[in-house]
Amino acid sequence: MQGTAVVGSQWGDEGKGKVVDVFSSKADFVVRYQGGANAGHTLVVDGKKTVLHLIPSGILHPQATCIIAAGVVLDAEIVANEIRALKQNGLIERDGQLLISDHATLILPYHRAIDAAREAALKHEKIGTTGKGIGPAYEDRASRRAILLRDLFEPDTLKAKLEKTLQEKNFLLEGYYKTNTYSVDELYSQMMTFAEELKPYRSKDTSKIVWDALQANKKVLFEGAQGTLLDLLHGTYPYVTSSSTLSGSACIGSGVGPGQIGKVVGITKAYCTRVGSGPFPTELNDEMGETLQKKGGEFGATTGRVRRCGWLDLVALKYAVRINGITNIALMKLDVLSGVDEIKFATHYEIAGKKVEDFPFSIEGLEGATPIYDSLPGWKEDISGCKTLEELPKNAIQYVQHIEKLAGCPIDVVSVGPGRDETIWVNSLFE
Ligand code: GDP
Ligand code: IMO
Ligand code: MG
């Protein structure tokens, strides 16, 4: 059995959480493999909203084992809070329902402080990070000085690592950024509290667990965070996050081979949003943009920031299909377009007077890109109650089918509301 990877095809917040929650009713394992608490994945069940930052979006299905794999940067405080909140609501029902890789990189308070100080120093050129310490934590992993989850359970190692790393971090914080420093004792005792809370969930080798599951024909979902255009290597660099957000990262982050991934589901909003700085060719700085923002409730699930909104960008979507090997698209938030008279979508860009079909690799190219739009007539009806594609208004069906044709990839799920049952299955994705 091969696993299914779920990735964002745009700039994040496409609705990955909803899709993973819905799929998870049939999953045996759900694996988060990259990113950290910069993610905010929203699940709406019977009108009740749950926002998860680190815990996989399969957690509301007790039969599914949720794994936080080695590729994740783990904020011990945030994950401990999330676990506590879920337990208080009776939502972690059995031992072994949540496993966290011993090899995950820890985010400590100084990572958050460095993130904030760097952003402040960048002034008008800031990336617009979530301030969760993601970049500084991945830097430590790459430079081989990270503190890992397993270090929490070896107090001497933890203390020694803190002593060593704080010499450098405090020098940077105090000497360069002129901000507060941290003491070894303070951080050590804080971390020891979290060690106690996280101990029941630690797992020595989650990659072997995933391997065994796939060998035993279990259904495994790999849950991506962020989105394609925020990828560290292939996104709109430098306005990106610090991990690889592509489907290939499901392999690296969870420790399985590429042959273990069968389907790659590209979660795609029926329009586009972006939170944070950086180029966004189809952005609408007008009434239409405001309408999408309001109707779509486009506020960041992690930071509460207003999301920038614009039309669907097929140049970017085709790029996402290509670099992720997306096999199936889930088209989200189609209901938000109800009432729009003319729905536009970019099919090409104009760059330096030339009509361009391919997403430009350099940010300079992208910044100079003017979208070339096509459009289709909209529909007025409320579509949130539609259960099949045929029940949708004629113009909504036309929009879905046209996007499918232009993207060159089947649309197998159409989402018409935040709730689980506001989902139209064109094809069953798990077969
Ligand atoms: P994620 O980061 O990709 O999981 O997405 P977020 O949770 O950050 O943002 C998606 C938002 O859209 C959440 O508030 C969801 O509840 C909501 N949502 C998901 N699908 C739909 C849909 O089809 N229609 C509407 N109206 N809202 C949706
Ligand atoms: P989910 O998983 C949308 C953006 C930030 C910023 C850039 C770098 O909910 O889709 P970082 O804190 O990662 O260093 O910030 O990436 N960003 C996201 N935008 N959704 C996310 O996650 C994001 N995670 C990071 O806004 O522009
Ligand atoms: Mg989100």
Side-chain angles (χ1 to χ4, degrees):
M1 186 80 164
Q2 291 174 305
T4 297
V6 173
V7 295
S9 73
Q10 296 158 329
W11 279 281
D13 303 327
E14 298 89 349
K16 297 175 293 294
K18 165 174 170 166
V19 173
V20 172
D21 171 55
V22 172
F23 279 176
S24 294
S25 63
K26 291 190 181 166
D28 298 301
F29 288 83
V30 184
V31 187
R32 247 305 286 278
Y33 52 86
Q34 47 73 230
N38 47 351
H41 294 179
T42 314
L43 329 180
V44 178
V45 181
D46 299 330
K48 190 170 181 286
K49 189 163 146 176
T50 305
V51 180
L52 298 167
H53 301 288
L54 281 161
I55 293 184
S57 300
I59 199 71
L60 304 187
H61 299 273
Q63 92 292 342
T65 297
C66 286
I67 292 178
I68 299 178
V72 169
V73 280
L74 190 84
D75 190 313
E77 184 174 354
I78 294 179
V79 80
N81 288 343
E82 248 171 46
I83 292 173
R84 229 175 290 132
L86 288 166
K87 281 182 95 172
Q88 270 163 13
N89 289 306
L91 294 172
I92 297 187
E93 297 184 22
R94 61 176 175 87
D95 287 346
Q97 193 180 334
L98 173 69
L99 302 172
I100 310 176
S101 170
D102 249 3
H103 308 285
T105 303
L106 282 191
I107 293 192
L108 283 101
Y110 50 78
H111 291 123
R112 277 181 252 137
I114 294 171
D115 191 356
R118 286 216 178 111
E119 284 284 274
L122 280 169
K123 297 200 174 87
H124 63 278
E125 284 178 332
K126 65 179 197 282
I127 307 292
T129 72
T130 58
K132 302 292 178 191
I134 307 297
Y138 275 120
E139 279 171 34
D140 275 1
R141 184 70 188 224
S143 61
R144 294 155 293 188
R145 71 188 103 179
I147 297 179
L148 309 186
L149 180 70
R150 65 166 183 247
D151 298 327
L152 288 192
F153 310 106
E154 311 235 350
D156 292 344
T157 310
L158 176 65
K159 201 156 213 175
K161 279 194 164 188
L162 279 173
E163 269 161 11
K164 201 164 166 194
T165 206
L166 275 181
Q167 283 180 28
E168 188 197 37
K169 303 300 178 200
N170 282 341
F171 180 72
L172 184 67
L173 286 166
E174 189 175 30
Y176 188 73
Y177 290 116
K178 316 282 180 230
T179 183
N180 301 335
T181 57
Y182 291 87
S183 86
V184 173
D185 289 345
E186 179 196 355
L187 289 186
Y188 176 79
S189 63
Q190 228 184 61
M191 288 302 130
M192 291 319 281
T193 338
F194 300 134
E196 219 29 62
E197 280 194 80
L198 296 181
K199 203 167 176 183
Y201 305 99
R202 72 180 286 212
S203 171
K204 293 218 160 105
D205 191 354
T206 54
S207 115
K208 176 72 163 56
I209 293 170
V210 177
W211 167 261
D212 288 343
L214 291 165
Q215 293 303 302
N217 277 332
K218 301 283 185 202
K219 287 178 173 154
V220 182
L221 267 181
F222 296 91
E223 176 181 8
Q226 291 79 54
T228 300
L229 300 166
L230 291 172
D231 180 80
L232 180 60
L233 295 181
H234 303 279
T236 54
Y237 187 86
Y239 298 100
V240 294
T241 189
S242 298
S243 69
S244 169
T245 60
L246 305 182
S247 58
S249 183
C251 299
I252 313 288
S254 38
V256 303
Q260 308 302 124
I261 309 282
K263 285 186 174 162
V264 178
V265 184
I267 314 301
T268 306
K269 256 181 214 173
Y271 49 98
C272 277
T273 63
R274 172 163 207 171
V275 59
S277 324
F280 180 3
T282 61
E283 182 171 16
L284 291 165
N285 290 305
D286 59 9
E287 224 173 274
M288 188 62 230
E290 229 170 87
T291 303
L292 292 174
Q293 198 275 322
K294 291 218 168 75
K295 273 194 77 183
E298 297 295 355
F299 293 96
T302 298
T303 57
R305 289 178 293 179
V306 169
R307 294 175 182 151
R308 300 154 66 190
C309 294
W311 296 117
L312 184 62
D313 183 340
L314 267 307
V315 183
L317 181 57
K318 283 196 289 187
Y319 175 65
V321 168
R322 172 163 68 81
I323 60 172
N324 286 293
I326 291 174
T327 57
N328 313 71
I329 287 175
L331 191 68
M332 311 302 289
K333 301 188 94 159
L334 190 65
D335 54 304
V336 175
L337 294 181
S338 290
V340 176
D341 290 335
E342 184 195 11
I343 303 174
K344 292 192 183 179
F345 41 92
T347 58
H348 297 80
Y349 296 152
E350 188 185 307
I351 301 176
K354 287 208 179 95
K355 188 174 174 181
V356 172
E357 200 171 331
D358 293 321
F359 194 75
F361 197 78
S362 77
I363 190 166
E364 291 76 19
L366 199 56
E367 274 168 345
T370 308
I372 300 175
Y373 290 109
D374 197 352
S375 71
L376 282 171
W379 59 92
K380 296 258 179 283
E381 298 89 329
D382 172 4
I383 59 171
S384 57
C386 295
K387 301 286 176 225
T388 63
L389 200 62
E390 293 70 35
E391 284 173 49
L392 288 174
K394 178 173 91 352
N395 286 352
I397 300 176
Q398 193 187 3
Y399 182 69
V400 174
Q401 289 177 339
H402 196 64
I403 297 311
E404 180 172 65
K405 198 167 119 211
L406 293 183
C409 184
I411 293 177
D412 283 0
V413 174
V414 177
S415 179
V416 291
R420 276 179 180 166
D421 51 4
E422 291 165 317
T423 313
I424 297 173
W425 296 90
V426 183
N427 285 303
S428 174
L429 273 169
F430 242 150
E431 307 312 309

